[in-house]
Amino acid sequence: MDLFLRRSNKPNIFLFSKKRRMARRIRLGAAMLFIGLAVVSSGFYLTGRVNSLVRVKPANSRELLVYSEKAGQFGLQEELTKESLAKLIGSRNLDQDDGTVFSVKAKAGRSMFVRTTLDPALQKWAVKTVNKTQADEAAVVALDPENGNVLAMASYSVEKRPDNLTLCSDFPAASLFKIITAAAAVESKHMSSQSTIAYDGSKHTLYRKNLAKDVNKGQNQATLKKSFAESINTVFGKIGAFALGPSALQEYAQRFYFNQPIGFVMPVETSRFVTPDADYYHLAEIASGFNNTTRVSPLHGAMLAAAVANGGLVIEPTLVREVFDESNNIYYHQEPVTLGRPISSRTADELKRMMIATITDGTGRKHFRDIRTNRVLSSLEIGGKTGSINDDRGRRVDWFVCFAGRPRTDEKMALAVLVVHHNDKIGVRAARIGRECIIRYF
C-alpha cells in the first residue's frame, strides 16, 4: 500500500492562494484520518510507514501489519534478536501442548507469546512416542529442509533431565559421520556412488590388519553406494586414512557445521569434531564413525539430512514464526536464512543415491520392507542413514536420519531420531520410529 501525492508540472493559480493551500491540507488530513480509522476498524495495526509493511498472522488469527526485520521493525517498542530470544525461551523441553503457541516471561514478569512452526499433530505424536520407548533417552526432530521450519521437536530422559535433548551434543555421531566422509570423497576426490573400493574383513568391524594401504587391494569389493548403504566400516576407514587424510576430514566436518555454533532460537550445543592425528588407524576410526569422540545433537543430525535433500544448501533451522505480546505488538518475525552450501548439487545427488540405497537395500531395509507396497511410503522418495555404537556408559546409541518427500512437489521432511537403549536391553529402534514419523506426516 503506497500513499503519495502526484505533483503536476503545469502551473496552477490555486497553488498561489494561501487559503486554497490551507483548505487542501485540511481535506488531505481528513482523508488520511478517514483511511486510518477504516484500517483500524478492519483489524489492521499500523506501526510506521505504510510502504514497508508486511503481513503476518498471530495466534489469535487477527491480521496485523508490522515491519519485517529487513525494514528495521520500525515502531516496535523493543526488538528481539535471535540471541536474546534464545535466552528468553531457554532449552525448555517442548511438550504436546506447545504445538501452536506457548508463553514465556519477559522483563518484569511480562508475558510474551511464541508462535511456533510446529505441526501440532506431529508434535503431539512425537512427544507420546519418545515417552513410550522405554529407553534411557530418546529424541525426535523433524524439519522442512527448504525453509528450516521445525515441524516436531521432542525428547525424553528416564533421568528426567530438564534440558531439551534435541539440542544436546552428548551423543556419539557413529555412522552418521559417513555422510561427511562420503561427501568429502565425492567432492574432493571425484568419486561417485559407483566408485569401487576393495576391502578385507567383515562389514561392521574395524581392525588394523584389514586396513591395507591401498583402496584397490582387498579380497572383497563394493561400490561406494553399497558401502554406505551397508555401513561398511573398513571401506570408509580406508577412504579416510588413505584418500582424504586429516585436513580433508576436518574441512568437511567444518563445512557441515561441526565445531561451529548453530544459530537457533533456543541454545544449541556445538557438535564436536576432534581433528585426528596422522595415525592411519585413528583416521579410519574418525572417517567411519567408529569412535566416541565425534559428537552431534539430534537437531544437527536432521540438518545433515536436510542439506542432502535440499541439493547441498543448508537452511538455518527455526522454531519460531513470531513473538508478540498481549496487545499483539510483534517483537520478532522469522524469515528463512541460508547458512551456506557445504557441497555442490552434484555431490548432494550422489549422497541421495547412497541414502536411498540404505532404505531399499541397506541397513534401513528391515524397517521399510513394504516401501513399494505401502500406500504412503510408495508415493515418497526416502533416503536415510543409520548409526549405532556404545557410549562411554555402555549404553547402545541408536541413530536414524533421513529425508522424505513427494517427487516434483515442495512437500518434504528431514528427520533425526535418537534412541539410547539401556545397556543390552534393546527396545524400539530409531529407524522404526522414523518410519512411523514419515507415515504420520505424509
Side-chain angles (χ1 to χ4, degrees):
M1 180 191 327
D2 288 312
L3 299 176
F4 58 91
L5 295 174
R6 297 185 182 274
R7 291 186 177 180
S8 174
N9 293 324
K10 297 179 181 180
N12 191 328
I13 60 172
F14 294 109
L15 295 177
F16 298 100
S17 169
K18 186 175 181 179
K19 290 183 178 180
R20 293 281 187 181
R21 290 200 303 270
M22 181 64 69
R24 187 178 182 182
R25 289 173 182 172
I26 292 172
R27 289 195 300 271
L28 179 59
M32 293 297 293
L33 178 61
F34 176 80
I35 292 173
L37 290 172
V39 168
V40 171
S41 64
S42 62
F44 289 102
Y45 178 71
L46 282 84
T47 59
R49 297 171 304 172
V50 288
N51 61 352
S52 297
L53 296 176
V54 292
R55 294 178 183 269
V56 294
K57 208 171 184 181
N60 66 357
S61 297
R62 186 163 74 109
E63 194 172 24
L64 307 183
L65 289 180
V66 298
Y67 277 105
S68 68
E69 289 179 314
K70 291 183 179 179
Q73 293 191 349
F74 186 82
L76 297 183
Q77 295 173 349
E78 58 181 290
E79 179 181 351
L80 283 173
T81 64
K82 194 165 289 163
E83 292 74 19
S84 60
L85 186 56
K87 293 178 181 179
L88 189 63
I89 297 176
S91 58
R92 58 185 290 156
N93 200 3
L94 302 178
D95 61 35
Q96 62 187 18
D97 296 324
D98 290 329
T100 304
V101 176
F102 61 82
S103 64
V104 292
K105 291 293 183 182
K107 296 177 181 178
R110 181 183 181 187
S111 292
M112 304 286 286
F113 301 95
V114 179
R115 187 180 182 212
T116 74
T117 61
L118 296 172
D119 180 298
L122 192 66
Q123 175 68 11
K124 186 174 183 178
W125 171 86
V127 171
K128 287 184 176 180
T129 299
V130 296
N131 279 278
K132 292 191 302 183
T133 58
Q134 296 182 339
D136 278 6
E137 294 171 327
V140 171
V141 179
L143 54 82
D144 186 325
E146 294 194 340
N147 56 27
N149 286 349
V150 174
L151 305 172
M153 174 177 277
S155 70
Y156 163 82
S157 169
V158 72
E159 297 174 352
K160 305 298 182 183
R161 290 174 57 172
D163 48 349
N164 188 333
L165 298 186
T166 66
L167 311 175
C168 297
S169 61
D170 295 343
F171 311 105
S175 287
L176 297 193
F177 198 80
K178 288 185 172 77
I179 297 173
I180 314 302
T181 304
V186 172
E187 188 100 339
S188 67
K189 299 302 176 182
H190 310 294
M191 298 178 71
S192 75
S193 57
Q194 297 303 316
S195 297
T196 302
I197 302 97
Y199 71 98
D200 292 313
S202 62
K203 296 176 180 178
H204 303 140
T205 57
L206 190 68
Y207 296 112
R208 286 181 179 270
K209 64 180 181 181
N210 294 327
L211 293 170
K213 294 186 178 182
D214 190 337
V215 294
N216 297 314
K217 289 184 178 180
Q219 296 181 348
N220 308 308
Q221 286 193 338
T223 64
L224 184 58
K225 181 171 74 172
K226 181 178 180 180
S227 302
F228 185 97
E230 298 183 3
S231 208
I232 303 177
N233 286 331
T234 304
V235 168
F236 278 85
K238 293 177 72 173
I239 290 173
F242 308 123
L244 295 175
S247 59
L249 288 172
Q250 180 182 18
E251 176 188 347
Y252 279 85
Q254 290 178 339
R255 285 194 186 193
F256 279 94
Y257 298 94
F258 283 83
N259 297 338
Q260 297 190 59
I262 294 174
F264 192 55
V265 292
M266 299 173 78
V268 186
E269 293 181 1
T270 302
S271 296
R272 301 192 297 275
F273 173 83
V274 179
T275 304
D277 55 37
D279 175 70
Y280 76 92
Y281 185 72
H282 191 198
L283 285 168
E285 287 180 313
I286 297 297
S288 63
F290 200 73
N291 65 88
N292 276 336
T293 57
T294 305
R295 304 277 176 132
V296 69
S297 67
L299 177 64
H300 195 176
M303 291 174 63
L304 297 180
V308 177
N310 208 27
L313 279 176
V314 177
I315 308 298
E316 186 176 82
T318 183
L319 176 71
V320 175
R321 294 189 187 277
E322 61 192 13
V323 179
F324 56 97
D325 64 12
E326 294 171 342
S327 300
N328 278 332
N329 298 312
I330 305 297
Y331 294 85
Y332 181 87
H333 178 67
Q334 176 65 31
E335 295 178 357
V337 176
T338 300
L339 292 179
R341 180 185 284 278
I343 52 174
S344 67
S345 58
R346 171 191 169 271
T347 299
D349 286 342
E350 293 290 347
L351 288 174
K352 269 188 178 181
R353 295 185 184 99
M354 298 180 211
M355 293 179 74
I356 290 171
T358 300
I359 299 298
T360 57
D361 302 297
T363 54
R365 181 182 179 184
K366 176 182 178 181
H367 302 284
F368 291 88
R369 291 186 184 277
D370 60 344
I371 191 170
R372 293 181 176 86
T373 58
N374 182 277
R375 181 180 61 83
V376 176
L377 299 178
S378 62
S379 67
L380 304 174
E381 181 181 66
I382 305 172
K385 185 73 192 83
T386 62
S388 61
I389 196 169
N390 287 351
D391 67 7
D392 297 333
R393 296 166 57 181
R395 305 177 303 173
R396 195 67 173 171
V397 178
D398 180 18
W399 282 104
F400 180 69
V401 302
C402 74
F403 60 82
R406 298 191 192 279
R408 297 176 295 279
T409 73
D410 294 332
E411 196 175 0
K412 299 176 183 177
M413 179 178 69
L415 175 68
V417 181
L418 168 75
V419 181
V420 181
H421 303 280
H422 181 70
N423 297 333
D424 294 330
K425 185 181 178 182
I426 306 299
V428 60
R429 300 302 299 264
R432 180 69 185 183
I433 296 175
R435 168 201 164 88
E436 295 304 319
C437 186
I438 292 170
I439 293 173
R440 283 271 176 174
Y441 182 68
F442 289 98

